[in-house]
């Protein structure tokens, strides 16, 4: 194969393979596993929910803006919406006045730049959050609930009513493979997923710093 040949692997496969190092850096950032082990105070978990609230508020506004777009709109699923669950979790956790971190504000700035108008930008950020929530999040949620004695309330963020995660992930990958990105936009999409991981890692690093 030469550089001029079109790629033969499906986009979902190239995406997953190409961003595995980014994923592993996010997974290994040292905050989420400490939460899962219960070795941080419960307020640290509430702080994560606060950062998530700020991020999903902007991401889900972008979903509203992109719902009618022929490419991005296919990824807008009302049943994924996380903001009401996060609001309920924060209410239950009595999260107090924790503010969005600088890295969270940077993440929101990037979302405003690319996710409200660019299908590649929206899908990149949508994939990185929601497919992560429907993958590792399905292990993390129960571990955190157990570690902090949460029984039903307080961890609704991890619970997707009406969604079967394995089937949903399969359908989502099909949607990625069917997405009609131009070659230029596909390159931008792949780069933006790496950027989305970087932004998530930065938030986790600041959380780790605040709670270590
Ligand atoms: C303790 C932390 C984490 C654990 C244990 C974890 C675990 C996993 C596992 C086991 C999968 C594969 C599931 C499957 O193939 O069926 C996965 C996929 C994924 N994770 Fe994570 N993860 C973590 C953190 C993160 C973070 C912080 C993000 C981004 C914000 C993320 C984003 C993703 C995405 C987008 C996928 C889907 C990859 C694909 O199939 O295309 N993960 N994760």
């Amino acid at each position: 194969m030469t550089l001029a040949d079109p790629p033969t692997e499906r986009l979902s496969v190239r995406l997953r393979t190409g961003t595995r190092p980014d994923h592993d850096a996010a997974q290994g950032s040292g905050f989420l596993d400490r939460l899962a082990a219960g070795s941080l105070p419960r307020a640290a978990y509430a702080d994560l929910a606060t950062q998530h609230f700020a991020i999903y508020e902007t991401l889900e506004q972008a979903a509203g803006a992109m719902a009618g777009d022929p490419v991005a709109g296919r990824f807008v699923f009302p049943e994924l919406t996380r903001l009401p669950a996060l609001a309920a979790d924060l209410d239950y956790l009595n999260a107090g006045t924790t503010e969005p971190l600088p890295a969270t504000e940077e993440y929101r700035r990037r979302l405003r730049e690319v996710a409200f108008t660019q299908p590649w930008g929206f899908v990149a950020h949508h994939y990185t959050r929601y497919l992560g929530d429907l993958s590792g999040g399905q292990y993390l949620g129960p571990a955190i609930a157990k570690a902090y004695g949460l029984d039903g309330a307080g961890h609704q963020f991890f619970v997707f009513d009406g969604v079967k995660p394995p089937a949903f992930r399969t359908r989502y990958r099909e949607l990625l493979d069917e997405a009609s990105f131009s070659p230029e936009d596909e390159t931008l999409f792949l780069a933006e997923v790496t950027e989305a991981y970087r932004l998530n890692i930065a938030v986790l690093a600041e959380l780790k710093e605040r709670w270590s």
Side-chain angles (χ1 to χ4, degrees):
M1 179 166 141
T2 71
L3 281 177
D5 289 331
T8 50
E9 283 279 34
R10 287 174 294 135
L11 179 59
S12 62
V13 175
R14 283 181 288 129
L15 170 62
R16 186 183 174 139
T17 314
T19 57
R20 190 161 286 148
D22 304 306
H23 178 271
D24 293 350
Q27 181 172 346
S29 64
F31 182 76
L32 295 174
D33 48 359
R34 279 184 216 183
L35 276 185
S39 60
L40 295 172
R42 191 162 112 155
Y45 168 57
D47 200 356
L48 175 69
T50 301
Q51 308 314 313
H52 279 159
F53 186 90
I55 292 162
Y56 282 84
E57 186 178 48
T58 309
L59 183 56
E60 291 178 359
Q61 281 168 1
M66 287 302 227
D69 181 272
V71 177
R74 299 192 73 200
F75 293 84
V76 176
F77 294 93
E79 62 270 38
L80 294 185
T81 308
R82 294 294 83 202
L83 213 55
L86 283 165
D89 288 349
L90 286 171
D91 197 36
Y92 179 82
L93 295 165
N94 198 8
T97 56
T98 321
E99 293 294 321
L101 287 158
T104 300
E105 293 297 4
E106 190 199 349
Y107 195 158
R108 299 217 292 180
R109 270 197 301 280
R110 185 63 185 162
L111 286 170
R112 285 188 211 106
E113 273 168 18
V114 301
F116 284 70
T117 51
Q118 305 294 336
W120 54 264
F122 174 72
V123 180
H125 285 280
H126 189 277
Y127 159 83
T128 309
R129 281 302 339 174
Y130 294 106
L131 217 63
D133 299 333
L134 289 167
S135 303
Q138 297 304 297
Y139 303 95
L140 207 53
I144 287 176
K146 187 163 176 241
Y148 295 97
L150 302 169
D151 186 10
H155 65 113
Q156 289 307 303
F157 170 71
F158 297 101
V159 180
F160 288 82
D161 286 332
V163 176
K164 293 198 173 81
F168 196 96
R169 292 197 304 260
T170 302
R171 177 70 192 123
Y172 198 100
R173 292 192 182 106
E174 286 167 5
L175 282 176
L176 286 170
D177 296 336
E178 291 162 6
S180 45
F181 289 128
S182 67
E184 293 77 21
D185 282 3
E186 196 177 284
T187 303
L188 290 167
F189 165 73
L190 291 167
E192 192 64 24
V193 171
T194 293
E195 177 64 4
Y197 274 118
R198 190 191 69 75
L199 291 162
N200 277 282
I201 291 166
V203 172
L204 295 170
E206 288 188 3
L207 282 167
K208 186 174 160 189
E209 172 80 22
R210 179 138 86 186
W211 292 101
S212 61

